[in-house]
Amino acid sequence: MRSQAEHQARLAEIVRDDPVLWRALTEAAAFDLPDSWIVSGAVYNSVWNALTGRAPGHGIKDIDLFYFDPDTSWEAEDKVIQRGATHFSANPPVEIRNQARVHLWYRDRFGHQIPAFLNSVHSLEHFTSETHAVGVRLAGTEIEICAPYGLDAIFGLRMVPNTRNLNRATHEAKSARAKTLWPEVTFVPWPEVTVITGQPWHDWELIRDLVARAFSSMVGRIDPPSSLNAMSPEDFQTEAAAGTAILAHDGFALTGCVLCKPKDDALYVGKLAVDPGHQRQGIGSALMDAARAEAQRRGLARLELQTRIELVENCQTFVKMGFIKTGETAHPGFDRSTSITMTKSL
């Protein structure tokens, strides 16, 4: 297997030898935008053409040129686009986008949020497929290459999903198109359960609603009612900031979550929730595994949780996961136990 340095050297050769990509690269250098890179299809498709003996430009619909300008107004970006319309060659067309303002329109187009990018490289890290996440630019006479996930997938002719965002539909659509143009390409399927760490930019209203759906079966069964009823999306975000939020998704939607926070020598696991439509798929176990890893990362000795007295089935599930009962507690105003405390040593 080639090293990344060898892959980068080979990619630089392909860029220089490909007339379509080289022309765009030299035009982009002359255009002189801040933090600019030619990215994605124009790069990895050119590699695939070179590796499979196809003509330069085969399968390339357009050339994506990213730049980063803190001015997030549409007016500023539109001026750049209009200027580029007379600067770049028309075939294939060059699509110019300011990565500083992508988060302003991304949710309306794709249905989920992404962070406000810090620079163009940060944007590459959130591409639909790890295979797409490559950029090139000229620095004088040298070719600079940025590939946050490496170049093994590109040179291995593999479409590898980037599971940090809910981009499964796009990954699958792009993979299907790639297979028609480069039959040699291997499609790596999106995993059915992906666990990620919740971030401040995630949609906390969606997360709160997911927990509400998961907890809906408790309504009328537990007394007092769940504290969830009084929690706003902002409360969820605040609680997550005090510890760690762990989210599960299937590439299309969030499917589960758990909120964790340190408590003495334990990591307290709360609001463990799996969307009712996705239960019995291993999501709860995956979330608990991630909580265990988080506890170990923090150097904590055990996991701790509480479950309501009335929810006998929950208690049985946690016992199967290796938890043991260590006590009972009562909510304020109750003269009987309302919750069971359970722990699991790590």
Side-chain angles (χ1 to χ4, degrees):
M1 181 180 293
R2 286 184 174 180
S3 68
Q4 290 304 308
E6 291 173 322
H7 280 326
Q8 290 205 6
R10 179 65 179 121
L11 175 55
E13 291 178 0
I14 291 172
V15 170
R16 291 187 186 278
D17 292 342
D18 188 295
V20 176
L21 185 53
W22 181 252
R23 181 188 67 204
L25 200 61
T26 55
E27 290 176 344
F31 201 51
D32 196 28
L33 289 173
D35 190 15
S36 64
W37 299 82
I38 287 179
V39 303
S40 195
V43 184
Y44 73 87
N45 291 168
S46 296
V47 172
W48 289 353
N49 288 335
L51 294 179
T52 62
R54 291 180 171 84
H58 170 76
I60 298 176
K61 295 186 300 182
D62 52 43
I63 293 174
D64 293 310
L65 176 60
F66 283 8
Y67 72 102
F68 192 90
D69 182 352
D71 185 344
T72 59
S73 68
W74 162 245
E75 291 74 18
E77 183 178 30
D78 188 49
K79 287 180 181 178
V80 173
I81 294 172
Q82 295 304 319
R83 184 163 62 91
T86 59
H87 175 84
F88 289 96
S89 301
N91 187 27
V94 175
E95 297 286 341
I96 305 172
R97 291 293 180 268
N98 180 12
Q99 298 308 288
R101 63 183 309 273
V102 172
H103 66 288
L104 300 177
W105 51 261
Y106 194 93
R107 182 176 181 178
D108 288 342
R109 181 172 178 182
F110 294 103
H112 63 91
Q113 290 178 295
I114 54 171
F117 296 135
L118 303 175
N119 48 48
S120 291
V121 172
H122 190 201
S123 171
L124 279 177
E125 295 172 0
H126 287 263
F127 268 31
T128 296
S129 301
E130 292 184 1
T131 313
H132 299 167
V134 57
V136 296
R137 67 182 178 187
L138 277 178
T141 59
E142 297 298 316
I143 296 174
E144 289 187 0
I145 297 170
C146 178
Y149 302 107
L151 296 169
D152 288 345
I154 297 171
F155 281 95
L157 296 167
R158 291 182 292 118
M159 289 288 283
V160 178
N162 181 3
T163 57
R164 67 171 53 201
N165 292 327
L166 306 179
N167 287 326
R168 181 172 177 172
T170 304
H171 170 69
E172 292 177 348
K174 287 181 177 293
S175 295
R177 177 180 182 271
K179 286 291 289 183
T180 65
L181 294 165
W182 299 274
E184 303 88 346
V185 170
T186 300
F187 166 57
V188 179
W190 197 287
E192 291 303 321
V193 181
T194 295
V195 174
I196 59 175
T197 301
Q199 301 296 328
W201 51 267
H202 278 125
D203 191 328
W204 293 94
E205 184 173 357
L206 284 180
I207 296 169
R208 196 265 179 205
D209 289 348
L210 183 153
V211 177
R213 291 194 301 275
F215 282 21
S216 62
S217 62
M218 302 180 190
V219 176
R221 291 186 61 193
I222 62 173
D223 188 28
S226 170
S227 61
L228 170 69
N229 297 339
M231 292 183 69
S232 67
E234 292 75 21
D235 293 330
F236 262 78
Q237 185 172 3
T238 299
E239 187 168 329
T244 303
I246 302 172
L247 310 177
H249 70 82
D250 63 359
F252 297 117
L254 293 176
T255 56
C257 82
V258 65
L259 301 182
C260 306
K261 61 182 178 182
K263 180 182 177 183
D264 300 325
D265 67 338
L267 186 70
Y268 184 80
V269 178
K271 298 294 185 293
L272 176 63
V274 176
D275 187 87
H278 293 83
Q279 293 178 354
R280 302 185 184 280
Q281 297 176 10
I283 296 169
S285 295
L287 289 168
M288 200 63 79
D289 288 344
R292 182 177 65 250
E294 176 66 15
Q296 292 171 334
R297 185 186 71 82
R298 292 172 177 263
L300 301 173
R302 58 197 177 89
L303 296 178
E304 180 179 310
L305 58 79
Q306 287 189 313
T307 184
R308 291 300 189 89
I309 290 284
E310 298 93 339
L311 304 178
V312 177
E313 69 279 12
N314 285 9
C315 185
Q316 293 171 342
T317 296
F318 294 134
V319 167
K320 291 179 181 178
M321 290 182 176
F323 284 82
I324 61 173
K325 178 179 176 180
T326 55
E328 296 183 1
T329 58
H331 283 76
F334 283 76
D335 58 5
R336 62 170 178 83
S337 296
T338 55
S339 296
I340 297 172
T341 302
M342 307 184 76
T343 64
K344 178 180 180 179
S345 297
L346 302 180

